Amino acid sequence: MTPIAWCLTAGFAGLVLFGFPFAIAIPLAITAALIAADIEPAFLAQAVISGSQQFSLLAIPLFMLAGELMTAGGLSQRLVDFASTLVRHRTGGLAMVAVLAATVFSAISGSAPATTAAIGGILIPAMAKAGYDRAFAASIAVSAGVLGPLIPPSIAFVIWGIVAEQSIGRLFVAGIVPGLTLAAGLLVVCYVHARRNQVPRLPRASIRETWTAFHRAKWALGSPLVVLGGIYGGIFTPTEAAAVSCLYAVLVGLFVERLLTLRALPGLIARAMKTSGMVCAIIAVSTGFGILIAQEQLATRFAHWMAANIQEKWLALAALNIAFFLLAAVMDEIAIMVILGPMLIAIATRFGVDPIHFGAIIVTNVAIGMAAPPIGYCLFIGMALSGLSLARISRAIWPQILVMLVVLFLTTYIPEFALILQPAAR
């Protein structure tokens, strides 16, 4: 390999192993490659500016802010209350509430961490009080939270759309069936756990109580309709939809629910900026990384190597899924998408995989990575909310991980599973 290739591969891996954050390890590896190749260091600054001037990137902080505003404005509590009236009387009903509420909240925030925090903060204590094992309560909040990357609008699909230069709207649609299937699988896990552990059922809600909860939740339920209806109705782009979602959350929180205050807004904005800043920084600096990888033809060479050594398409997809799962256990999922994106796309092209279908495969992997031990983002949120150790939550979450792997298998090997709704996006 050339000096550039060594710096971008072994050099970058070494920095990560020494504990450098990805947003710092990437530019250091690029700088070393530039010095080794005697390229003007200003290249890195130009690449960062180029990588940060993409209109679609605005959707990331805006959707994260929308999730913060919805939670502070009481809309997540309204969703939980309404979902509770629908299923709390069933075996595993309160755990099912977490899944149903997370499904709707995912269509508001587009973020797995935001969904886990919003739903888990309410339901982990409630489930523990109702007789559920606290580790299971945390694990179901974590696994329900990862519906965020699949249910549109999704930040992960926005990032992959930027990396792969594909329609973000079509990618959103590709996540609907996998996301809803995962939600259904999690409902089954809730039922089996509650029945096996003889968790007592809660009383059935009356029709009046259900109607009252629905009436109170109508503004929360209306947000996905406004956002997704606007995108697929051609009224605004996904990025503009993120801004509309923020405006909707502010207006409802301030003037309808009246739980959001002007004094709270700076803190909410700062929290959203802190969360999205690292993601956007990784994407910006990775532009130079991608340019150098393309220059060295690393992605193309690897794709050719796979094609020469793996003849079957199904086997290549299996190898990619296994590699992604192992990488996601020790590496940031966003960094995997951005850094390895060109290589992944080259492999998909080499084996003739539909780019939208491939996007669904990648983001389903990302969703699993958000909950997979040992460094899934949502696991740490579950730890903070429940007060439990990583080991306890990790032991409890494996049934949900198996359900996620089944959804990944269906998404990978049945293209129609992800593409069946595509005519609606055209």
Side-chain angles (χ1 to χ4, degrees):
M1 288 196 299
T2 66
I4 291 180
W6 277 111
C7 291
L8 296 179
T9 54
F12 172 72
L15 290 169
V16 172
L17 290 175
F18 275 110
F20 283 80
F22 289 100
I24 297 175
I26 295 170
L28 286 178
I30 295 173
T31 302
L34 296 177
I35 294 172
D38 196 26
I39 299 175
E40 176 59 47
F43 166 85
L44 177 58
Q46 293 169 347
V48 169
I49 293 172
S50 173
S52 61
Q53 289 184 332
Q54 301 181 65
F55 180 65
S56 298
L57 273 178
L58 285 173
I60 297 172
L62 289 173
F63 275 129
M64 288 186 173
L65 177 59
E68 295 281 356
L69 292 168
M70 292 283 181
T71 302
L75 296 187
S76 56
Q77 181 68 60
R78 301 294 193 209
L79 288 175
V80 169
D81 292 343
F82 176 55
S84 179
T85 64
L86 297 178
V87 296
R88 73 185 186 198
H89 58 282
R90 301 186 180 277
T91 302
L94 196 57
M96 292 179 181
V97 170
V99 177
L100 295 180
T103 301
V104 180
F105 194 82
S106 295
I108 296 172
S109 71
S111 165
T115 303
T116 300
I119 303 304
I122 299 169
L123 282 170
I124 291 176
M127 289 174 64
K129 186 177 180 182
Y132 289 86
D133 176 68
R134 195 171 186 87
F136 174 78
S139 72
I140 203 67
V142 169
S143 53
V146 303
L147 291 168
L150 290 171
I151 303 291
S154 156
I155 291 172
F157 274 126
V158 171
I159 294 171
W160 185 253
I162 294 170
V163 171
E165 298 181 348
Q166 295 294 322
S167 165
I168 293 174
R170 292 191 64 199
L171 288 169
F172 280 173
V173 173
I176 294 175
V177 173
L180 294 179
T181 304
L182 175 56
L186 294 177
L187 292 176
V188 173
V189 172
C190 296
Y191 174 84
V192 172
H193 174 87
R195 184 165 184 174
R196 180 179 297 170
N197 293 276
Q198 298 182 336
V199 178
R201 291 190 290 183
L202 298 176
R204 181 189 294 268
S206 65
I207 295 176
R208 182 189 181 108
E209 187 179 356
T210 302
W211 171 252
T212 300
F214 170 75
H215 184 71
R216 290 176 176 172
K218 64 181 183 295
W219 291 102
L221 296 170
S223 179
L225 297 178
V226 171
V227 173
L228 298 178
I231 293 173
Y232 297 119
I235 300 172
F236 37 70
T237 67
T239 302
E240 292 166 345
V244 170
S245 184
C246 289
L247 179 61
Y248 183 95
V250 169
L251 293 177
V252 172
L254 287 176
F255 302 113
V256 179
E257 300 293 347
R258 298 183 180 179
L259 294 175
L260 186 65
T261 63
L262 292 175
R263 183 178 298 176
L265 288 179
L268 296 173
I269 293 171
R271 202 152 53 229
M273 288 174 62
K274 181 179 179 180
T275 307
S276 59
M278 187 62 72
V279 175
C280 293
I282 291 173
I283 294 173
V285 297
S286 293
T287 301
F289 202 93
I291 292 172
L292 293 176
I293 283 179
Q295 178 180 307
E296 293 296 298
Q297 297 185 323
L298 295 179
T300 306
R301 289 177 192 170
F302 186 71
H304 284 308
W305 179 87
M306 281 197 69
N309 291 275
I310 301 178
Q311 303 300 324
E312 300 293 334
K313 176 179 174 180
W314 71 268
L315 195 56
L317 291 174
L320 283 177
N321 281 334
I322 293 170
F324 207 112
F325 184 80
L326 294 175
L327 283 171
V330 296
M331 186 176 175
D332 176 81
E333 294 77 16
I334 302 301
I336 297 173
M337 283 200 297
V338 175
I339 296 169
L340 301 183
M343 189 176 299
L344 296 170
I345 294 164
I347 294 168
T349 303
R350 184 74 172 148
F351 285 93
V353 182
D354 180 274
I356 300 299
H357 174 216
F358 191 65
I361 296 172
I362 293 299
V363 173
T364 304
N365 271 297
V366 167
I368 296 172
M370 292 286 186
I375 68 163
Y377 280 162
C378 295
L379 283 173
F380 293 105
I381 295 173
M383 288 170 57
L385 295 174
S386 64
L388 299 176
S389 67
L390 177 63
R392 281 200 63 189
I393 300 176
S394 297
R395 285 195 297 269
I397 204 171
W398 280 109
Q400 293 94 296
I401 295 291
L402 292 176
V403 171
M404 295 177 197
L405 292 175
V406 170
V407 173
L408 176 61
F409 179 87
L410 295 172
T411 305
T412 301
Y413 294 112
I414 305 176
E416 294 76 13
F417 189 70
L419 300 178
I420 189 170
L421 298 179
Q422 282 303 308
R426 295 190 181 106

